[in-house]
Amino acid sequence: MEICHYAEDLKQQPTWVLLLGLIGLLSLSKFTFSLLQWVYVTFLRPPKNLRRYGSWSLVTGPTDGIGRAFAFQLARKGLNLVLVGRSPDKLAAVSDEIKAKFGKTQIKTVVADLSGDLSEGVRRIREAIEGIDVGLLVNNAGVSYPYARFFHEVDEELLKNLIRVNVEATTKVTQAVIPGMLERKKGAIVNVGSGAAIVIPSDPLYAVYAATKAYIDQFSRSIHVEYKKSGIDVQCQVPLYVATKMASIRRSSFFVPSPDTYARSALHSIGYEPRCTPYWPHSLVWCITSVIPDFIIDAWRLRFSLGIRKRGQLKDSKKK
């Protein structure tokens, strides 16, 4: 009898009430599913065996920050390394450190200034990887502003370097490595993007940098779709702040990891989603920013960047 009364009550409810209830149920279900998926991906999902892609990995920008941490973590996983950087002394130092810690790791170094003669650099990379199974490419090399500045204040040299390194070098190094992966029908490509292009709606006073990283995101997603059926996993990793020289942050914290902490998380995510934020506290920040109106974030970011610009200009004036 009670069931019959309940059914009658439902029939007597206005349609809009039933629709609101259904929408609420669907929203709750979606939230619950997303939360459970996040917990699984973040804490429970096992990492892939990176050696199944090949015994060699290539890392650009490996002498400092995230790139250096990537190199050490990949060596820890038993992968051989092709290290691409512009300073022969720094490449030699990193190579010696890795060999001292992981004696069995084979290392090739390629001296290439990705902001200079890119054709020559790519030629050297092609020569270095000929005959070896480079299964993992980490396009980490990148350039940012020395400090925040308006677009009209970006000089020609900085503008050239931002586009040459962040866009052209990533594109051409990928183009040099991917034929071997296609031949072997396996491989993984990790392009290091930035929260400046994805997580926040705008990055005032870092406009060109953010735009180059937006290119990396779309480039990664598109070739992910192109080559997924060929056995090649392409991923754009989206870090927020990491304690590096490039970010001008010395001390790490819960929301600003050290390069090593970030790299460990990054390796755990390789081979899965075409876009990810490997370090899980960064994903919490992304979740928070997604529900804040864009104009609030824009205003905060502009004020924040203006502060960096003022400090940078003051520092420059003291040098003169």
Side-chain angles (χ1 to χ4, degrees):
M1 266 313 266
E2 290 182 0
I3 295 175
C4 291
H5 284 308
Y6 180 68
E8 287 296 325
D9 289 341
L10 281 178
K11 289 179 181 179
Q12 292 173 10
Q13 293 293 332
T15 304
W16 66 269
V17 173
L18 296 176
L19 285 175
L20 283 178
L22 181 59
I23 291 171
L25 181 61
L26 290 173
S27 298
L28 180 60
S29 300
K30 182 181 178 181
F31 172 78
T32 302
F33 175 78
S34 297
L35 179 61
L36 292 174
Q37 185 181 41
W38 179 81
V39 170
Y40 171 73
V41 167
T42 303
F43 302 110
L44 303 175
R45 185 174 67 182
K48 291 194 175 184
N49 178 10
L50 300 182
R51 288 183 60 84
R52 75 178 181 86
Y53 293 117
S55 59
W56 287 81
S57 57
L58 188 152
V59 182
T60 65
T63 59
D64 194 22
I66 293 174
R68 185 178 188 277
F70 257 114
F72 273 85
Q73 291 302 323
L74 289 169
R76 187 186 301 276
K77 293 289 184 182
L79 288 164
N80 300 316
L81 300 169
V82 179
L83 304 179
V84 180
R86 64 182 177 181
S87 169
D89 292 339
K90 289 183 178 181
L91 282 173
V94 170
S95 178
D96 289 345
E97 283 185 58
I98 294 173
K99 286 179 179 177
K101 196 166 186 178
F102 310 103
K104 294 181 179 180
T105 304
Q106 298 179 58
I107 300 177
K108 290 188 173 190
T109 58
V110 180
V111 178
D113 183 357
L114 299 181
S115 66
D117 187 346
L118 198 50
S119 297
E120 175 61 19
V122 170
R123 185 190 66 77
R124 293 179 184 179
I125 290 171
R126 290 184 192 274
E127 286 183 356
I129 65 176
E130 187 174 355
I132 63 175
D133 60 332
V134 176
L136 174 62
L137 166 63
V138 180
N139 278 311
N140 163 77
V143 174
S144 185
Y145 293 24
Y147 58 84
R149 57 191 65 186
F150 286 97
F151 174 62
H152 71 273
E153 297 171 332
V154 177
D155 61 73
E156 283 298 318
E157 185 68 17
L158 177 56
L159 183 63
K160 183 198 77 172
N161 289 341
L162 284 162
I163 296 172
R164 178 69 61 84
V165 178
N166 296 357
V167 174
E168 290 187 50
T170 297
T171 305
K172 291 185 177 180
V173 171
T174 302
Q175 198 171 43
V177 174
I178 209 166
M181 294 179 175
L182 278 171
E183 186 179 337
R184 294 184 295 272
K185 298 181 179 179
K186 59 181 179 179
I189 298 170
V190 174
N191 295 323
V192 179
S194 172
I198 310 299
V199 177
I200 53 179
S202 70
D203 198 12
L205 279 66
Y206 289 95
V208 180
Y209 171 77
T212 61
K213 289 301 183 178
Y215 169 88
I216 295 301
D217 180 61
Q218 186 62 282
F219 172 66
S220 303
R221 180 71 189 213
S222 297
I223 63 172
H224 160 77
V225 175
E226 287 183 37
Y227 295 108
K228 183 66 177 177
K229 291 183 179 179
S230 300
I232 301 173
D233 297 320
V234 183
Q235 182 180 75
C236 177
Q237 295 195 350
V238 185
L240 275 66
Y241 283 118
V242 178
T244 63
K245 289 180 182 178
M246 183 173 172
S248 300
I249 300 174
R250 295 181 180 180
R251 290 187 178 183
S252 59
S253 61
F254 179 71
F255 286 109
V256 182
S258 68
D260 286 335
T261 298
Y262 176 81
R264 283 195 296 271
S265 299
L267 261 62
H268 204 92
S269 299
I270 293 174
Y272 287 106
E273 302 84 5
R275 180 205 284 163
C276 70
T277 304
Y279 183 60
W280 71 266
H282 285 176
S283 66
L284 292 180
V285 176
W286 193 343
C287 181
I288 292 169
T289 58
S290 69
V291 298
I292 299 175
D294 287 358
F295 75 91
I296 294 177
I297 298 176
D298 287 343
W300 161 77
R301 188 64 189 178
L302 178 60
R303 187 167 61 252
F304 178 79
S305 296
L306 285 171
I308 295 176
R309 176 177 177 269
K310 185 176 181 179
R311 290 191 294 273
Q313 289 178 323
L314 184 61
K315 196 172 182 180
D316 276 354
S317 66
K318 289 180 179 179
K319 292 178 182 178
K320 296 177 181 179

